Amino acid sequence: MRDIHLLNDGWKVHRDRGPECPIELPTTGIDAVVPGCVHLDLIRHGLLVHPDRGEGEAEQAWIGRTDWTWSRALGPQDRFDAGDEAVCEIVFDSIDTVGEVRLGDDVLGEVENQFHAHRFRIPSEALAGRTTLSVSLRGPVGELDRRVAMYGDRPVNADGEWGVYSYLRKAACSFGWDWGPKCPSLGLPGDVRIERWRDARIDAVRPLVTTCNDRLAVVEVFVDLKRDPTTSGDGDLRATARLESPDGRVFEVEGVGDPGADLVAMRIEVPDPLRWWPRGRGAQPLHDLEVEVHRDGDLLDRVRRRIGLRIVALDTGRDPEGSRFRIVVNGEPVFCRGANWIPEGLFPGTAADAVVTARIEQAVEANFDMLRVWGGGVYESQAFYDACDERGIMVWQDFMLACATYPEEAPYPDLVEREARFQIRRLAAHASIVLWCGGNENVLAWRNWGWKERMDPARSWGRHYFTELLPRIAADLDPSRPFLPDSPWSGSVESDPNDPDHGDRHTWDLKLEDVREMVPRFVSEFGHQSPPARRTMESAIGPEAFASETSEAMAAFAGRQRGWGGDEAQYDRWMDDWFLPAPDLDGRIWRMHLLQARATTITYEWLRLHSSRCGGALVWQLNDAWTGHSWSLIDVAGRVKPAWWAARAACAPRLLAFSVGEAGIEIAAVNDTDEAWAVDGPSRVRVRRVDTSGADLAAAAIEFDVPARGTRTASLPAELVIPSDPAGEMLVADFDGDRAFWFYGKDAWLSLPAPAFDLRIRPADSDAFDVEIGARSVVRDLHLDESALGDAVHVDANLFSMLPGEVVTIRIHGVPALLEDDLRRPGVLRTANECGSGASGV
């Protein structure tokens, strides 16, 4: 039986060589935490300011040009009883990135890929005395410079501003991105251990579901083996697979490995299976799978996995409008509502499991059912995929190739192949993964960003990976899931990847209302920028930077804007059009957040209302890496932005909304449930045109019911929707407890009154209060800044509109005491009213 001994403790890291070191480091090194990276160790010892604090990014630039060595003493304390004749291996789950591993004076091997495990066989007697295990790594920035000198420059995102990162198999975004700083680290971000085994061990288990309906599920269990002929025994090598269903049923099968073969295949048939579904489609029962390998009655190895029984496909069939792009689970097409996922925090691959799980829970609370693991980061942790399995979050999994031209000359194809084989084998058991994708915006960049014209036609750029190598590996190891060559992709390298009639699309060329000009077949990226919460910004750069309370104080945050064109392109040209100027800093931050929320609402609603043509919408991006301007719905401190609340409402299973059709303003609905959406008696939606006092100016009851998993659109009579005073009127629709608003212009044009409402506070629990809000005026987009009340505060409702005389109750959690004065402090409660003719603040 394989024995494992962890080596995560007892490490030190010391500086080898590099530019002048601005800090004093002990010659013997400092204690290092594994898994981890050198930045985190220096921060932990008080030797480095966190790059997300003050000018910390600039102060750490030397680290990426410095070589470092991690070392740990090995000796009798690391021996364990497995017999001297056993195979002994030292295993690193991840090494970031380029260098060599030594045992004493012996070089075990060179490394240059963060994205797969490294195994080194050592003699068993090596642990009898004392020796040192060491990992020496070259500074990633210096290593990139060296490779550019060897292989030449090549196009990558940001015109090389972040370095030619495609020469390293390392998280691309660590060198900088339009939402993050230049902060490439290095270290041991995975577990380190000694493994001892005899004869054969299980290298991977790939339980591929090839059939799954309400009558039968078939799981083809492929067991990848590593054999050692020097310790093998007599008799057949046998594998057994035991699958336990949540309902208590057990299914067992056995397979015999051919002599010398490194694979055992078994087939499990499950009648009347408990099927795994994406959230909102059904339950997520997970089955316990145990695989054992035996020879002549001796147990050699055992592996356990949790799997879900489901079958997935990608429907790209032709239709009269082009070709579809729709995820199909258990035979049912699913409109994917979700987000793109970037590495959590500043050092890819080092986020705590609890933080990752909390972010996924926030995706669930936002009514999402898909996350796309973006190709400029890392393959995520086990905790990430486990959480998605358990919660029914589908995963679109990119391979780690993003926005660059990639060399196809040696050693790179072997590096990419080893990585892809490792990750597919590692992740194949997860029901949540529904799509393998070759990478992000590589074909798009080569074809549409001028790179094709700049490059020598004979020079490689990565085509081989997307059209040959990766699809071949995916078909070999996991034919149970669809493969997409790149994102966006419209069918071939020669086709425009962003063709709205074919494949998926990254919609960055249409913003806010302009998204209604087009209905792509699937939008895998869209979004709008915003800053973090003010409290998060103050934690990073200090409250004194914003003490002036002028809108110009935002300039203190200017260094954290990495988007193209800066604030002018990302905010000002939109805010100047939508809102009146902000009188103070909080007003400017609020307008930035509100603009992102509007963009989020409009895009999700538009694409969901056209789900007969569009297969999904994934916002860029869910989470964040640091305290900077970005497109995230959740800032780096875990605080949700107003846009998160907008996404939550727009992605609700049942959505009522106004839209625009050929005949003008329409009322529309999406019903993403298994039951028809109707009301008792005559099923009608009530639509009113009202003025700012809440008085009805016109009204109509429209026949309305929405089929299960369907949409419904109804035109509205002209006499109802055409206003007498567009600046002072609005449309309101009510149906079965749901409501929709339509305002006739952008906020700056509207004559909304200053917001007015009454507050009544009642204790609800030991640290919770119910706040009853009674509107005395029209209130548009009322938002409570939770962070203004404390770090642990959260509410159960936010960003809603009200008519005069209406009352809404929200529950505020995480406060020991709450007074009306707390809520009426400037910046706590904000509305869109103030962005037009309304007064500043509440």
Side-chain angles (χ1 to χ4, degrees), residues 474-505:
D476 177 28
L477 295 179
D478 185 12
S480 72
R481 291 177 176 88
F483 175 86
L484 185 71
D486 197 32
S487 178
W489 177 257
S490 295
S492 72
V493 170
E494 289 70 30
S495 302
D496 182 357
N498 248 353
D499 185 342
D501 293 325
H502 302 275
D504 69 313
R505 191 175 199 277

mmCIF file of all heavy atoms in Angstrom, residues 474-505:
data_model
loop_
_atom_site.group_PDB
_atom_site.id
_atom_site.type_symbol
_atom_site.label_atom_id
_atom_site.label_comp_id
_atom_site.label_asym_id
_atom_site.label_seq_id
_atom_site.Cartn_x
_atom_site.Cartn_y
_atom_site.Cartn_z
ATOM 1 N N ALA A 474 -7.395 15.818 -25.229
ATOM 2 C CA ALA A 474 -8.726 15.766 -24.625
ATOM 3 C C ALA A 474 -9.518 14.574 -25.154
ATOM 4 O O ALA A 474 -10.213 13.888 -24.390
ATOM 5 C CB ALA A 474 -9.476 17.071 -24.888
ATOM 6 N N ALA A 475 -9.431 14.311 -26.451
ATOM 7 C CA ALA A 475 -10.152 13.173 -27.026
ATOM 8 C C ALA A 475 -9.593 11.856 -26.505
ATOM 9 O O ALA A 475 -10.333 10.878 -26.320
ATOM 10 C CB ALA A 475 -10.064 13.220 -28.547
ATOM 11 N N ASP A 476 -8.296 11.815 -26.253
ATOM 12 C CA ASP A 476 -7.658 10.596 -25.762
ATOM 13 C C ASP A 476 -8.029 10.317 -24.309
ATOM 14 O O ASP A 476 -8.412 9.192 -23.954
ATOM 15 C CB ASP A 476 -6.139 10.753 -25.906
ATOM 16 C CG ASP A 476 -5.374 9.570 -25.354
ATOM 17 O OD1 ASP A 476 -5.913 8.450 -25.351
ATOM 18 O OD2 ASP A 476 -4.218 9.758 -24.911
ATOM 19 N N LEU A 477 -7.961 11.338 -23.460
ATOM 20 C CA LEU A 477 -8.130 11.125 -22.026
ATOM 21 C C LEU A 477 -9.552 11.347 -21.540
ATOM 22 O O LEU A 477 -9.947 10.794 -20.518
ATOM 23 C CB LEU A 477 -7.185 12.043 -21.252
ATOM 24 C CG LEU A 477 -5.687 11.796 -21.440
ATOM 25 C CD1 LEU A 477 -4.886 12.800 -20.641
ATOM 26 C CD2 LEU A 477 -5.310 10.374 -21.043
ATOM 27 N N ASP A 478 -10.312 12.186 -22.227
ATOM 28 C CA ASP A 478 -11.662 12.492 -21.743
ATOM 29 C C ASP A 478 -12.610 12.818 -22.900
ATOM 30 O O ASP A 478 -13.012 13.969 -23.095
ATOM 31 C CB ASP A 478 -11.628 13.663 -20.756
ATOM 32 C CG ASP A 478 -13.006 13.933 -20.140
ATOM 33 O OD1 ASP A 478 -13.904 13.077 -20.313
ATOM 34 O OD2 ASP A 478 -13.180 14.992 -19.522
ATOM 35 N N PRO A 479 -12.995 11.813 -23.673
ATOM 36 C CA PRO A 479 -13.967 12.059 -24.751
ATOM 37 C C PRO A 479 -15.384 12.299 -24.238
ATOM 38 O O PRO A 479 -16.278 12.583 -25.030
ATOM 39 C CB PRO A 479 -13.888 10.766 -25.583
ATOM 40 C CG PRO A 479 -13.441 9.725 -24.608
ATOM 41 C CD PRO A 479 -12.522 10.423 -23.658
ATOM 42 N N SER A 480 -15.583 12.226 -22.898
ATOM 43 C CA SER A 480 -16.935 12.411 -22.349
ATOM 44 C C SER A 480 -17.331 13.880 -22.262
ATOM 45 O O SER A 480 -18.492 14.183 -22.001
ATOM 46 C CB SER A 480 -17.030 11.779 -20.957
ATOM 47 O OG SER A 480 -16.321 12.540 -19.991
ATOM 48 N N ARG A 481 -16.367 14.779 -22.466
ATOM 49 C CA ARG A 481 -16.668 16.213 -22.399
ATOM 50 C C ARG A 481 -16.321 16.863 -23.725
ATOM 51 O O ARG A 481 -15.373 16.469 -24.399
ATOM 52 C CB ARG A 481 -15.865 16.893 -21.283
ATOM 53 C CG ARG A 481 -16.283 16.511 -19.868
ATOM 54 C CD ARG A 481 -15.369 17.196 -18.872
ATOM 55 N NE ARG A 481 -15.752 16.966 -17.491
ATOM 56 C CZ ARG A 481 -15.347 15.938 -16.750
ATOM 57 N NH1 ARG A 481 -14.562 15.015 -17.292
ATOM 58 N NH2 ARG A 481 -15.735 15.792 -15.504
ATOM 59 N N PRO A 482 -17.048 17.933 -24.079
ATOM 60 C CA PRO A 482 -16.709 18.649 -25.311
ATOM 61 C C PRO A 482 -15.430 19.467 -25.148
ATOM 62 O O PRO A 482 -15.038 19.820 -24.034
ATOM 63 C CB PRO A 482 -17.925 19.554 -25.539
ATOM 64 C CG PRO A 482 -18.520 19.745 -24.185
ATOM 65 C CD PRO A 482 -18.264 18.473 -23.432
ATOM 66 N N PHE A 483 -14.800 19.764 -26.281
ATOM 67 C CA PHE A 483 -13.586 20.565 -26.316
ATOM 68 C C PHE A 483 -13.800 21.741 -27.258
ATOM 69 O O PHE A 483 -14.335 21.586 -28.361
ATOM 70 C CB PHE A 483 -12.392 19.734 -26.805
ATOM 71 C CG PHE A 483 -11.132 20.541 -26.974
ATOM 72 C CD1 PHE A 483 -10.288 20.763 -25.898
ATOM 73 C CD2 PHE A 483 -10.806 21.099 -28.203
ATOM 74 C CE1 PHE A 483 -9.138 21.531 -26.047
ATOM 75 C CE2 PHE A 483 -9.652 21.859 -28.356
ATOM 76 C CZ PHE A 483 -8.816 22.072 -27.280
ATOM 77 N N LEU A 484 -13.393 22.932 -26.810
ATOM 78 C CA LEU A 484 -13.452 24.153 -27.606
ATOM 79 C C LEU A 484 -12.020 24.626 -27.811
ATOM 80 O O LEU A 484 -11.275 24.761 -26.849
ATOM 81 C CB LEU A 484 -14.269 25.218 -26.873
ATOM 82 C CG LEU A 484 -14.533 26.529 -27.612
ATOM 83 C CD1 LEU A 484 -15.519 26.311 -28.756
ATOM 84 C CD2 LEU A 484 -15.070 27.592 -26.646
ATOM 85 N N PRO A 485 -11.601 24.900 -29.061
ATOM 86 C CA PRO A 485 -10.188 25.227 -29.292
ATOM 87 C C PRO A 485 -9.692 26.479 -28.577
ATOM 88 O O PRO A 485 -8.541 26.523 -28.129
ATOM 89 C CB PRO A 485 -10.108 25.391 -30.815
ATOM 90 C CG PRO A 485 -11.207 24.520 -31.335
ATOM 91 C CD PRO A 485 -12.320 24.663 -30.334
ATOM 92 N N ASP A 486 -10.515 27.509 -28.480
ATOM 93 C CA ASP A 486 -10.097 28.764 -27.850
ATOM 94 C C ASP A 486 -11.366 29.556 -27.579
ATOM 95 O O ASP A 486 -12.452 29.190 -28.022
ATOM 96 C CB ASP A 486 -9.159 29.540 -28.797
ATOM 97 C CG ASP A 486 -8.361 30.630 -28.090
ATOM 98 O OD1 ASP A 486 -8.038 30.449 -26.898
ATOM 99 O OD2 ASP A 486 -8.050 31.651 -28.727
ATOM 100 N N SER A 487 -11.236 30.638 -26.846
ATOM 101 C CA SER A 487 -12.395 31.491 -26.599
ATOM 102 C C SER A 487 -11.999 32.945 -26.842
ATOM 103 O O SER A 487 -10.994 33.405 -26.285
ATOM 104 C CB SER A 487 -12.888 31.329 -25.167
ATOM 105 O OG SER A 487 -13.986 32.176 -24.898
ATOM 106 N N PRO A 488 -12.714 33.667 -27.715
ATOM 107 C CA PRO A 488 -13.877 33.214 -28.478
ATOM 108 C C PRO A 488 -13.448 32.354 -29.667
ATOM 109 O O PRO A 488 -12.302 32.394 -30.093
ATOM 110 C CB PRO A 488 -14.500 34.523 -28.947
ATOM 111 C CG PRO A 488 -13.336 35.456 -29.089
ATOM 112 C CD PRO A 488 -12.400 35.096 -27.961
ATOM 113 N N TRP A 489 -14.428 31.622 -30.215
ATOM 114 C CA TRP A 489 -14.147 30.686 -31.311
ATOM 115 C C TRP A 489 -15.394 30.576 -32.178
ATOM 116 O O TRP A 489 -16.499 30.407 -31.655
ATOM 117 C CB TRP A 489 -13.774 29.324 -30.754
ATOM 118 C CG TRP A 489 -13.534 28.267 -31.785
ATOM 119 C CD1 TRP A 489 -14.388 27.263 -32.144
ATOM 120 C CD2 TRP A 489 -12.347 28.084 -32.575
ATOM 121 N NE1 TRP A 489 -13.814 26.467 -33.105
ATOM 122 C CE2 TRP A 489 -12.560 26.955 -33.388
ATOM 123 C CE3 TRP A 489 -11.136 28.761 -32.675
ATOM 124 C CZ2 TRP A 489 -11.591 26.484 -34.290
ATOM 125 C CZ3 TRP A 489 -10.178 28.296 -33.566
ATOM 126 C CH2 TRP A 489 -10.404 27.177 -34.355
ATOM 127 N N SER A 490 -15.194 30.688 -33.483
ATOM 128 C CA SER A 490 -16.335 30.647 -34.398
ATOM 129 C C SER A 490 -16.238 29.542 -35.426
ATOM 130 O O SER A 490 -16.904 29.598 -36.459
ATOM 131 C CB SER A 490 -16.487 31.999 -35.103
ATOM 132 O OG SER A 490 -16.817 33.010 -34.187
ATOM 133 N N GLY A 491 -15.410 28.545 -35.176
ATOM 134 C CA GLY A 491 -15.406 27.374 -36.042
ATOM 135 C C GLY A 491 -14.093 27.065 -36.699
ATOM 136 O O GLY A 491 -13.843 25.904 -37.050
ATOM 137 N N SER A 492 -13.223 28.058 -36.901
ATOM 138 C CA SER A 492 -11.930 27.805 -37.523
ATOM 139 C C SER A 492 -11.005 28.978 -37.239
ATOM 140 O O SER A 492 -11.452 30.073 -36.878
ATOM 141 C CB SER A 492 -12.068 27.613 -39.037
ATOM 142 O OG SER A 492 -12.358 28.844 -39.674
ATOM 143 N N VAL A 493 -9.710 28.751 -37.438
ATOM 144 C CA VAL A 493 -8.736 29.816 -37.246
ATOM 145 C C VAL A 493 -8.960 30.934 -38.251
ATOM 146 O O VAL A 493 -8.729 32.114 -37.968
ATOM 147 C CB VAL A 493 -7.300 29.244 -37.360
ATOM 148 C CG1 VAL A 493 -6.268 30.365 -37.412
ATOM 149 C CG2 VAL A 493 -7.011 28.307 -36.201
ATOM 150 N N GLU A 494 -9.440 30.575 -39.427
ATOM 151 C CA GLU A 494 -9.636 31.565 -40.477
ATOM 152 C C GLU A 494 -10.866 32.431 -40.241
ATOM 153 O O GLU A 494 -10.971 33.532 -40.786
ATOM 154 C CB GLU A 494 -9.752 30.877 -41.840
ATOM 155 C CG GLU A 494 -8.446 30.274 -42.354
ATOM 156 C CD GLU A 494 -7.986 29.048 -41.569
ATOM 157 O OE1 GLU A 494 -8.861 28.311 -41.035
ATOM 158 O OE2 GLU A 494 -6.757 28.846 -41.467
ATOM 159 N N SER A 495 -11.825 31.953 -39.459
ATOM 160 C CA SER A 495 -13.054 32.702 -39.214
ATOM 161 C C SER A 495 -12.824 33.772 -38.145
ATOM 162 O O SER A 495 -11.974 33.622 -37.269
ATOM 163 C CB SER A 495 -14.167 31.762 -38.730
ATOM 164 O OG SER A 495 -14.409 30.739 -39.663
ATOM 165 N N ASP A 496 -13.609 34.849 -38.213
ATOM 166 C CA ASP A 496 -13.553 35.869 -37.170
ATOM 167 C C ASP A 496 -14.029 35.237 -35.867
ATOM 168 O O ASP A 496 -15.187 34.822 -35.761
ATOM 169 C CB ASP A 496 -14.449 37.044 -37.539
ATOM 170 C CG ASP A 496 -14.399 38.166 -36.499
ATOM 171 O OD1 ASP A 496 -13.713 37.997 -35.471
ATOM 172 O OD2 ASP A 496 -15.067 39.189 -36.718
ATOM 173 N N PRO A 497 -13.158 35.146 -34.864
ATOM 174 C CA PRO A 497 -13.573 34.479 -33.620
ATOM 175 C C PRO A 497 -14.773 35.135 -32.958
ATOM 176 O O PRO A 497 -15.481 34.478 -32.195
ATOM 177 C CB PRO A 497 -12.323 34.574 -32.740
ATOM 178 C CG PRO A 497 -11.188 34.795 -33.676
ATOM 179 C CD PRO A 497 -11.758 35.593 -34.805
ATOM 180 N N ASN A 498 -14.997 36.413 -33.225
ATOM 181 C CA ASN A 498 -16.071 37.142 -32.547
ATOM 182 C C ASN A 498 -17.324 37.265 -33.406
ATOM 183 O O ASN A 498 -18.154 38.152 -33.155
ATOM 184 C CB ASN A 498 -15.582 38.533 -32.135
ATOM 185 C CG ASN A 498 -15.479 38.674 -30.624
ATOM 186 O OD1 ASN A 498 -15.885 37.798 -29.870
ATOM 187 N ND2 ASN A 498 -14.948 39.784 -30.169
ATOM 188 N N ASP A 499 -17.471 36.390 -34.385
ATOM 189 C CA ASP A 499 -18.672 36.371 -35.216
ATOM 190 C C ASP A 499 -19.892 36.127 -34.329
ATOM 191 O O ASP A 499 -19.972 35.106 -33.646
ATOM 192 C CB ASP A 499 -18.547 35.262 -36.260
ATOM 193 C CG ASP A 499 -19.697 35.231 -37.260
ATOM 194 O OD1 ASP A 499 -20.764 35.823 -36.965
ATOM 195 O OD2 ASP A 499 -19.547 34.594 -38.303
ATOM 196 N N PRO A 500 -20.861 37.042 -34.291
ATOM 197 C CA PRO A 500 -22.008 36.854 -33.391
ATOM 198 C C PRO A 500 -22.933 35.717 -33.807
ATOM 199 O O PRO A 500 -23.772 35.292 -33.000
ATOM 200 C CB PRO A 500 -22.732 38.197 -33.463
ATOM 201 C CG PRO A 500 -22.342 38.763 -34.779
ATOM 202 C CD PRO A 500 -20.927 38.319 -35.021
ATOM 203 N N ASP A 501 -22.781 35.199 -35.024
ATOM 204 C CA ASP A 501 -23.677 34.143 -35.509
ATOM 205 C C ASP A 501 -23.125 32.743 -35.289
ATOM 206 O O ASP A 501 -23.814 31.759 -35.569
ATOM 207 C CB ASP A 501 -23.965 34.343 -37.004
ATOM 208 C CG ASP A 501 -24.776 35.598 -37.273
ATOM 209 O OD1 ASP A 501 -25.636 35.926 -36.438
ATOM 210 O OD2 ASP A 501 -24.542 36.240 -38.303
ATOM 211 N N HIS A 502 -21.882 32.649 -34.808
ATOM 212 C CA HIS A 502 -21.251 31.340 -34.628
ATOM 213 C C HIS A 502 -20.388 31.369 -33.370
ATOM 214 O O HIS A 502 -19.630 32.316 -33.141
ATOM 215 C CB HIS A 502 -20.372 30.980 -35.831
ATOM 216 C CG HIS A 502 -21.081 30.950 -37.129
ATOM 217 N ND1 HIS A 502 -21.768 29.843 -37.592
ATOM 218 C CD2 HIS A 502 -21.229 31.911 -38.076
ATOM 219 C CE1 HIS A 502 -22.295 30.119 -38.777
ATOM 220 N NE2 HIS A 502 -21.988 31.360 -39.094
ATOM 221 N N GLY A 503 -20.485 30.337 -32.551
ATOM 222 C CA GLY A 503 -19.589 30.183 -31.416
ATOM 223 C C GLY A 503 -19.843 31.176 -30.297
ATOM 224 O O GLY A 503 -20.886 31.822 -30.215
ATOM 225 N N ASP A 504 -18.848 31.267 -29.416
ATOM 226 C CA ASP A 504 -18.964 32.202 -28.300
ATOM 227 C C ASP A 504 -18.321 33.527 -28.676
ATOM 228 O O ASP A 504 -17.510 33.609 -29.607
ATOM 229 C CB ASP A 504 -18.347 31.625 -27.031
ATOM 230 C CG ASP A 504 -16.834 31.501 -27.110
ATOM 231 O OD1 ASP A 504 -16.335 31.001 -28.139
ATOM 232 O OD2 ASP A 504 -16.136 31.885 -26.148
ATOM 233 N N ARG A 505 -18.678 34.567 -27.938
ATOM 234 C CA ARG A 505 -18.216 35.914 -28.265
ATOM 235 C C ARG A 505 -17.780 36.645 -26.996
ATOM 236 O O ARG A 505 -18.379 36.463 -25.937
ATOM 237 C CB ARG A 505 -19.326 36.717 -28.947
ATOM 238 C CG ARG A 505 -18.855 38.033 -29.551
ATOM 239 C CD ARG A 505 -19.987 38.738 -30.317
ATOM 240 N NE ARG A 505 -19.453 39.733 -31.240
ATOM 241 C CZ ARG A 505 -19.110 40.982 -30.900
ATOM 242 N NH1 ARG A 505 -19.298 41.383 -29.643
ATOM 243 N NH2 ARG A 505 -18.619 41.810 -31.791
#
